């Protein structure tokens, strides 16, 4: 196939930050996606509907005039968030989900939840108002090997949440393991998962073999080949439980190329093109639309987009960097060739 036209996709997991970074990254996302679920892990985090509405306005200001883009805002759950905030969120036209970060799991998760029981009343309210719960599914016990953190969360923690709140819609974000894929498959229809391009493209050799590559470091960390293959099978299957969520997570170059580098891969510059390349190389391009444009809105109970986009087979070179004021943002596959291109 030399070209494919699909319904305009959405990104169901995206970090856009604020200020100069936001201004650099929003045009990249808005060029491809109609909507995106915006992660609330700012510093300080987006913990109230009021903050989410302000953040929404800042994002809208950064959307280029010729593009339409709808940010779907989320609230960051903390130990102290009040049930009344969930009621306000349910009534807000801006807020579409709440995000659970186990405290310390990832970038800006220090205010995350320390004890799940602390927020059971919140889960209760979310279940009642049918607000989806988005989970960063990793345990944070320091003794737990970083490559096992998702598997243990899926084995020990997630089943408890589901058992106590069987009607709560849950998205296990950025799944990275065969075990997580199997769990989501076997779980009820209320449970779904997003999958990033980097976890579909790479195994852990891409971080550690032949030199340490900080731009491939994200959380949950990229796993072995066996897991990548399970993720490819899930994403390209067309199964309604799996959908596109880039987890595009921009950090300045010096924060990535650092003796203690930040977690996060930046992929918004070419997200749908990267997914197209992945689907094409597994001979499943015909399922790209289901994964990128149908399964997400269906799960979120939102209308599917009506506009179309066209992707063509064409080699082009991804820029080595994008400017953010006087700093640089290094994109995934910087300076490398990619074989699919969005027609503007
Ligand atoms: C994300 C970030 O930088 O905000 N980093 C990442 O590695 N994915 C946080 C997150 O989603 O875990
Ligand atoms: Zn993320």
């Amino acid at each position: 196939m030399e070209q494919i036209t699909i319904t305009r996709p959405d990104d169901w997991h995206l970090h856009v930050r604020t200020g100069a970074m936001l201004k650099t990254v929003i045009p990249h996302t808005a060029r491809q996606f109609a909507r995106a679920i915006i992660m609330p892990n700012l510093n300080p985090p987006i913990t109230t509907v009021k903050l989410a509405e302000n953040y929404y306005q800042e994002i809208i200001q950064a959307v280029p005039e010729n593009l339409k883009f709808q940010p779907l805002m989320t609230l960051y759950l903390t130990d102290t968030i009040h049930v009344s905030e969930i009621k306000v969120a349910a009534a807000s036209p801006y807020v579409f989900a709440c995000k659970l970060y186990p405290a310390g799991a990832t970038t800006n998760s220090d205010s995350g939840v320390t004890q799940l029981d602390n927020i059971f009343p919140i889960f209760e309210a979310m279940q009642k108002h049918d607000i989806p719960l988005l989970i960063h599914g990793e345990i944070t016990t320091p003794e737990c090997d970083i490559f096992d953190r998702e598997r243990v969360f899926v084995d020990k923690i997630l089943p408890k949440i589901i058992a106590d709140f069987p009607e709560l819609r849950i998205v296990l974000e950025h799944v990275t393991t065969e075990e997580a894929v199997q769990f989501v498959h076997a779980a009820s229809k209320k449970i779904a998962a997003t999958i990033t391009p980097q976890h579909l493209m790479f195994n852990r050799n891409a971080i550690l073999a032949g030199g340490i590559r900080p731009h491939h470091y994200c959380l949950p960390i990229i796993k072995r080949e066996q897991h990548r293959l399970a993720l490819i099978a899930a994403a390209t299957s067309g199964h309604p439980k799996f959908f596109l969520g880039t987890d595009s997570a921009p950090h300045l170059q010096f924060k990535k190329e650092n003796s203690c580098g930040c977690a996060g891969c930046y992929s918004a510059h070419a997200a749908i093109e990267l997914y197209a390349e992945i689907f094409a190389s597994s001979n499943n391009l015909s399922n790209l639309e289901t994964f990128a444009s149908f399964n997400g809105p269906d799960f979120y109970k939102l209308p599917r987009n009506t506009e179309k986009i066209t992707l063509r087979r064409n080699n082009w070179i991804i820029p080595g960097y994008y400017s953010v004021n006087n700093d640089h943002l290094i994109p995934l596959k910087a300076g490398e060739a990619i074989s699919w291109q969005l027609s503007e």
Side-chain angles (χ1 to χ4, degrees):
M1 222 189 284
E2 288 306 307
Q3 100 172 33
I4 180 173
T5 295
I6 61 169
T7 301
R8 186 174 288 281
D10 306 298
D11 184 349
W12 300 95
H13 183 129
L14 178 68
H15 302 265
V16 296
R17 320 302 189 200
T18 59
M21 184 65 92
L22 174 86
K23 291 196 179 82
T24 297
V25 302
I26 281 292
H28 294 173
T29 285
R31 170 179 88 89
Q32 311 156 60
F33 297 106
R35 300 170 287 197
I37 282 280
I38 306 294
M39 286 296 133
N41 63 329
L42 301 185
N43 190 10
I46 304 296
T47 50
T48 66
V49 173
K50 186 85 203 109
L51 287 169
E53 291 181 8
N54 293 344
Y55 190 25
Y56 173 94
Q57 296 302 343
E58 186 185 353
I59 296 169
I60 288 294
Q61 299 294 313
V63 178
E65 256 172 35
N66 57 332
L67 298 175
K68 273 196 301 223
F69 173 70
Q70 186 190 6
L72 308 173
M73 309 309 292
T74 61
L75 293 191
Y76 182 114
L77 298 178
T78 64
D79 284 343
T80 54
I81 186 167
H82 199 269
V83 178
S84 60
E85 201 62 40
I86 300 301
K87 217 174 146 189
V88 180
S92 164
Y94 299 99
V95 177
F96 289 83
C98 298
K99 178 75 189 268
L100 169 66
Y101 289 102
T106 187
T107 307
N108 290 342
S109 65
D110 297 351
S111 328
V113 173
T114 58
Q115 282 280 331
L116 270 189
D117 323 14
N118 290 350
I119 56 160
F120 271 28
I122 299 293
F123 291 164
E124 187 79 56
M126 289 173 62
Q127 177 171 258
K128 181 174 151 213
H129 293 287
D130 198 24
I131 301 180
L133 171 65
L134 316 183
I135 300 184
H136 183 111
E138 290 194 285
I139 63 153
T140 54
T141 328
E143 308 79 66
C144 183
D145 190 278
I146 190 155
F147 287 95
D148 295 332
R149 289 180 181 187
E150 177 179 284
R151 198 170 52 72
V152 176
F153 185 91
V154 166
D155 188 38
K156 302 265 187 275
I157 314 288
L158 189 54
K160 284 194 201 155
I161 305 178
I162 296 173
D164 285 333
F165 305 97
E167 295 304 312
L168 183 60
R169 279 183 292 151
I170 296 177
V171 185
L172 187 59
E173 298 291 331
H174 40 51
V175 285
T176 65
T177 56
E178 191 174 21
E179 290 85 351
V181 167
Q182 283 167 356
F183 183 93
V184 171
H185 263 301
S188 84
K189 280 197 175 130
K190 306 273 172 185
I191 316 302
T194 53
I195 307 182
T196 77
Q198 64 268 24
H199 293 103
L200 292 169
M201 283 191 292
F202 302 131
N203 64 40
R204 62 196 201 174
N205 283 5
I207 321 171
L208 296 169
I212 188 159
R213 289 169 218 279
H215 298 291
H216 293 165
Y217 171 62
C218 69
L219 290 171
I221 196 159
I222 295 172
K223 310 293 194 299
R224 287 174 180 275
E225 181 65 3
Q226 137 202 10
H227 299 289
R228 187 185 76 85
L229 294 175
L231 296 170
I232 289 274
T236 61
S237 67
H239 196 288
K241 283 166 168 271
F242 299 96
F243 43 87
L244 186 159
T246 61
D247 193 20
S248 176
H251 292 278
L252 292 174
Q253 181 175 16
F254 80 92
K255 293 213 169 155
K256 293 286 298 172
E257 300 172 15
N258 188 296
S259 60
C260 184
C262 293
C265 297
Y266 182 65
S267 61
H269 60 295
I272 195 62
E273 291 137 321
L274 291 169
Y275 282 110
E277 191 169 67
I278 295 158
F279 276 64
S281 55
S282 72
N283 288 320
N284 259 316
L285 206 52
S286 56
N287 276 342
L288 179 64
E289 184 176 42
T290 308
F291 176 76
S293 318
F294 295 162
N295 291 346
D298 293 357
F299 184 84
Y300 273 83
K301 301 184 182 172
L302 291 170
R304 293 177 179 181
N305 297 318
T306 50
E307 266 181 45
K308 305 276 180 194
I309 61 161
T310 297
L311 291 148
R312 291 203 166 79
R313 193 186 282 282
N314 180 41
N315 270 321
W316 60 285
I317 304 291
I318 291 181
Y321 65 87
Y322 294 99
S323 293
V324 181
N325 282 343
N326 297 323
D327 279 308
H328 288 171
L329 165 63
I330 309 296
L332 210 55
K333 293 194 78 171
E336 291 179 43
I338 174 168
S339 55
W340 285 84
Q341 190 165 34
L342 183 66
S343 298
E344 304 285 345

